[in-house]
Amino acid sequence: MYIKGTEFRDLEERTLRFSKAVIRFVEGQPQDIANREISKQLIRSACSVGANYIEANDKLGGKDFLMRIKICRKEARETKYWLSLIEVAGAASENARSALIQETIELTKIFGSILAKTKAT
């Protein structure tokens, strides 16, 4: 089962906006040695969510679809981890981090729901 129509485009757009928001967030944080390394990992995992979602919908088969959706969910959880580790530059950054963490939670639930629905069919 593949996601079709508006739902596909909406989630693709949402994951793209999420990746861009993470990149903007990282650009505003202190860049000491630790934060530089965490920032690299954070950007990789956040951008991987959307990239794997696009791959999932390339219709290479049901098993590939499920694997890619699992990777999306895994990368969203990993992004939450890196967001929790990064040192932020003040209250505005803390609010931005909280919003991004909330988005990782929501994306994780969305991909979990896709997995549950796909396995059920």
Side-chain angles (χ1 to χ4, degrees):
M1 174 182 160
Y2 297 96
I3 299 171
K4 297 181 180 172
T6 306
E7 299 84 19
F8 166 75
R9 288 188 303 277
D10 288 349
L11 189 51
E12 188 174 309
E13 179 62 31
R14 184 173 180 172
T15 58
L16 178 64
R17 284 192 316 266
F18 174 66
S19 296
K20 289 179 177 181
V22 168
I23 291 167
R24 283 190 305 273
F25 170 77
V26 165
E27 289 172 344
Q29 303 318 308
Q31 290 303 308
D32 58 21
I33 293 171
N35 257 17
R36 271 196 303 272
E37 293 305 313
I38 292 167
S39 294
K40 290 176 188 178
Q41 294 291 93
L42 174 55
I43 289 171
R44 281 187 195 108
S45 62
C47 293
S48 181
V49 175
N52 276 288
Y53 182 67
I54 290 168
E55 289 287 322
N57 285 290
D58 264 349
K59 300 181 183 181
L60 296 176
K63 288 182 181 180
D64 184 61
F65 176 79
L66 287 173
M67 181 194 70
R68 295 289 178 176
I69 295 298
K70 286 178 183 177
I71 292 170
C72 291
R73 185 178 61 180
K74 179 187 87 64
E75 294 292 344
R77 286 194 302 242
E78 183 179 333
T79 301
K80 181 182 175 196
Y81 174 78
W82 295 120
L83 282 165
S84 299
L85 281 179
I86 196 166
E87 183 181 324
V88 295
S93 290
E94 186 59 51
N95 290 339
R97 175 175 40 191
S98 294
L100 289 169
I101 287 173
Q102 183 58 41
E103 182 67 358
T104 65
I105 293 167
E106 291 176 21
L107 287 170
T108 300
K109 288 178 182 178
I110 289 168
F111 291 120
S113 177
I114 291 169
L115 285 170
K117 289 177 183 176
T118 303
K119 289 179 181 178
T121 58

